[in-house]
Amino acid sequence: MKFSRIAKSLIVHFNLVQLSVRLGMPILTARLAMLLSKSFNTGSKYNVLCLGRSIFDEDIEELAKYGSTLNYLIIPKFVFISIFNHYFSQMPLSQSHIKYHEFKGFNHEKEMYRRFLKALLSELSKSSGINAVMSANYVYAWQQELAVVCNEAKIPFVVLFKEGISPVYKGGDASQDAHDLLVNAYTNNKFIGTKLLVYNEKTRNAFVNANIEGISRDTVEIVGIPRFDRYFKLKTQGNNIVFFSFSIEDKARHLELSEEVLNEYIDKSEKFHIEVMRYAKSNSGQNVVIKTKRNIRYLNYVKKIAKNNGYSNLKNLLITNTGNVYDHIKNSFAIIGYNSTALLEGFAACRLIITPDFRGGIIHDFFEEYPNLANYAKNMEDIERIVSKGSAIAINNEELKSLLCDRIYIPDGQACRRTEASIRKAIDMFKNKEALEA
């Protein structure tokens, strides 16, 4: 274990992956990738190679734990990005995801990239017996040729789409579902793969109706969210109030808001953060945790708000970007958040749910159609009232069940089983095709 950590550190520090790619040594790249990988062996004869990604990795870990009929190997995405960047140095990654198939004059680079990936996948298959490859999205430029290579090698390429838990956005005089906006805004208009697994029915319908090459109703399957299974099994409760900090810019990126409206929401967001800090100061006996996303800019944003308003040194207020969502929810009795998956995870874990009251604006929240489930708070006093009088909603509440079905499909703690069944079906389909062609 210790040696493995040292090896990973050395590989990253000395840019050994990038060096192996520049030297044209895919076998060495594959062996370095294996050293950087994280594996979950359940004793299955089937192995799934996963292209690492935040949140997606949590789904994979839960699949290994609660599905337990497949083995998983997670290779960090930067391995594949390093290969891509070597061959497509003139194609900026930040601009290439939805434009990859439109770029002209890169046929030679695509062929060289594909050849390298073939050798890489062949070596990984020799050491790990790859039966399927899985990713968190279908648009990443760095995986397009890998999907082609998998198809040629008769290895199913499955996407467990890690987006799609969206609020409703009202534009002009007509209502538009944000799922449609999300799919249309970020599509590359071409799906290369075997199966597209999604979290809910609205996301499936958005894909089916988007007229994307390679996607049909048969291609898209609803499975739910694998990482949610553990929350339905969580019976104990903690003592903290956890506020999952949010960035309005992130929440509204695909909604094309005007600068004026966006700034209005940014101001509301900052003021709400201050109200949570006020609550912590006025309730010194209550532990309050503000959990930001991992990137340091999110942490600095909240710490700056605390510093500018005199809340930096509260003993009962922890502002952090560390720890996983599950552990924070496990150690809580109340969850605060805005249009966040953490709210749904909190519901599944039977926590008290609080959300900022931004009603009446152009961004609608999770509770648009389920107002009886919402504990809306505008300020510290609202938070105090809710905490003192509120209680968690039982999972068998019909309105809550309806909300969860809308967002995460069937709230039964069986998403891992459905996901693995779909992957196994894809593997068997390829094996049957192979047998018929033999």
Side-chain angles (χ1 to χ4, degrees):
M1 182 70 75
K2 185 176 180 181
F3 174 77
S4 178
R5 285 198 297 268
I6 293 172
K8 289 179 181 180
S9 178
L10 290 173
I11 291 169
V12 173
H13 180 75
F14 290 105
N15 298 319
L16 296 184
V17 170
Q18 293 90 330
L19 178 61
S20 69
V21 175
R22 287 200 300 272
L23 292 174
M25 302 174 69
I27 292 176
L28 176 58
T29 306
R31 291 176 181 174
L32 292 170
M34 289 298 295
L35 288 172
L36 292 168
S37 70
K38 184 187 293 186
S39 63
F40 301 90
N41 194 326
T42 65
S44 172
K45 64 179 180 179
Y46 296 115
N47 303 298
V48 182
L49 169 64
C50 304
L51 313 184
R53 187 82 178 179
S54 61
I55 302 299
F56 175 67
D57 289 0
E58 290 185 35
D59 279 327
I60 301 306
E61 291 182 25
E62 295 312 301
L63 284 169
K65 185 174 182 180
Y66 294 113
S68 68
T69 65
L70 297 168
N71 302 322
Y72 297 92
L73 178 72
I74 302 176
I75 291 180
K77 67 174 183 177
F78 95 84
V79 172
F80 299 94
I81 290 175
S82 296
I83 306 169
F84 179 89
N85 285 341
H86 174 71
Y87 289 103
F88 297 94
S89 58
Q90 302 304 312
M91 186 189 290
L93 187 63
S94 61
Q95 301 172 20
S96 63
H97 290 325
I98 63 175
K99 296 289 186 181
Y100 179 81
H101 300 289
E102 298 179 12
F103 282 111
K104 306 298 181 184
F106 285 93
N107 290 339
H108 176 69
E109 288 82 357
K110 288 181 180 180
E111 178 57 35
M112 295 296 291
Y113 181 45
R114 194 179 300 179
R115 191 179 303 171
F116 192 100
L117 291 174
K118 281 182 181 179
L120 177 81
L121 188 61
S122 175
E123 182 64 22
L124 291 173
S125 294
K126 286 178 185 177
S127 59
S128 299
I130 305 300
N131 301 104
V133 175
M134 188 154 67
S135 176
N137 207 323
Y138 70 103
V139 298
Y140 303 141
W142 46 269
Q143 75 176 38
Q144 299 303 304
E145 301 305 327
L146 178 61
V148 172
V149 168
C150 286
N151 189 53
E152 292 176 350
K154 296 182 172 56
I155 296 173
F157 192 93
V158 179
V159 172
L160 178 59
F161 188 62
K162 76 178 186 72
E163 311 291 346
I165 307 178
S166 302
V168 174
Y169 166 65
K170 185 172 289 184
D173 296 326
S175 292
Q176 282 185 288
D177 195 301
H179 298 80
D180 295 324
L181 291 169
L182 178 72
V183 167
N184 289 321
Y186 292 112
T187 186
N188 61 5
N189 291 313
K190 187 169 186 176
F191 174 74
I192 307 171
T194 311
K195 274 287 182 182
L196 178 59
L197 309 182
V198 298
Y199 291 162
N200 54 54
E201 187 174 5
K202 286 184 177 180
T203 304
R204 180 185 65 178
N205 292 341
F207 273 116
V208 171
N209 297 329
N211 196 30
I212 297 170
E213 182 183 345
I215 290 181
S216 67
R217 186 165 289 276
D218 292 336
T219 310
V220 189
E221 188 170 336
I222 314 169
V223 294
I225 307 179
R227 65 183 181 277
F228 264 63
D229 285 2
R230 56 187 168 176
Y231 293 101
F232 290 103
K233 297 172 174 63
L234 187 57
K235 305 301 179 185
T236 58
Q237 207 173 67
N239 299 313
N240 298 338
I241 294 176
V242 181
F243 172 32
F244 288 96
S245 174
F246 56 91
S247 163
I248 284 294
E249 292 96 324
D250 288 354
K251 298 284 184 190
R253 185 176 291 121
H254 64 289
L255 300 182
E256 300 179 355
L257 303 182
S258 68
E259 185 177 353
E260 180 182 359
V261 171
L262 181 59
N263 286 336
E264 178 186 335
Y265 272 102
I266 290 172
D267 183 58
K268 287 181 179 180
S269 169
E270 183 171 329
K271 286 178 179 176
F272 186 79
H273 279 74
I274 293 171
E275 292 302 313
V276 173
M277 295 173 190
R278 281 186 64 218
Y279 173 87
K281 184 174 182 178
S282 296
N283 296 269
S284 58
Q286 174 64 64
N287 290 328
V288 177
V289 178
I290 300 182
K291 168 68 172 68
T292 75
K293 289 184 178 181
R294 185 77 64 178
N295 192 300
I296 193 68
R297 69 183 175 91
Y298 297 108
L299 180 67
N300 289 340
Y301 166 74
V302 178
K303 285 193 170 184
K304 183 179 179 181
I305 293 174
K307 182 179 179 181
N308 289 346
N309 292 276
Y311 299 117
S312 291
N313 299 313
L314 300 181
K315 292 182 179 179
N316 65 320
L317 176 63
L318 173 64
I319 302 172
T320 180
N321 65 345
T322 62
N324 61 53
V325 172
Y326 176 76
D327 287 337
H328 281 294
I329 291 179
K330 181 180 179 181
N331 295 325
S332 75
F333 73 89
I335 302 295
I336 304 175
Y338 180 64
N339 284 353
S340 168
T341 306
L343 296 179
L344 301 179
E345 290 166 327
F347 273 129
C350 292
R351 283 357 186 208
L352 176 65
I353 303 299
I354 304 171
T355 192
D357 191 350
F358 294 164
R359 288 174 292 181
I362 201 167
I363 302 177
H364 293 193
D365 61 47
F366 276 166
F367 307 105
E368 175 81 8
E369 299 171 24
Y370 306 93
N372 294 329
L373 298 178
N375 290 302
Y376 285 108
K378 291 184 177 179
N379 49 43
M380 175 197 77
E381 290 77 15
D382 287 344
I383 297 172
E384 286 183 332
R385 172 181 51 80
I386 293 166
V387 170
S388 64
K389 296 182 179 180
S391 60
I393 299 174
I395 200 68
N396 60 356
N397 177 283
E398 288 302 317
E399 196 168 9
L400 177 55
K401 285 168 67 176
S402 179
L403 168 66
L404 292 175
C405 284
D406 186 43
R407 301 298 177 181
I408 68 169
Y409 196 38
I410 305 169
D412 58 0
Q414 298 297 316
C416 287
R417 180 185 59 79
R418 286 189 290 272
T419 302
E420 288 205 335
S422 184
I423 298 169
R424 285 287 301 271
K425 188 163 56 178
I427 292 172
D428 291 340
M429 180 182 72
F430 271 69
K431 285 185 174 294
N432 291 335
K433 280 184 180 179
E434 216 172 355
L436 288 174
E437 293 171 2

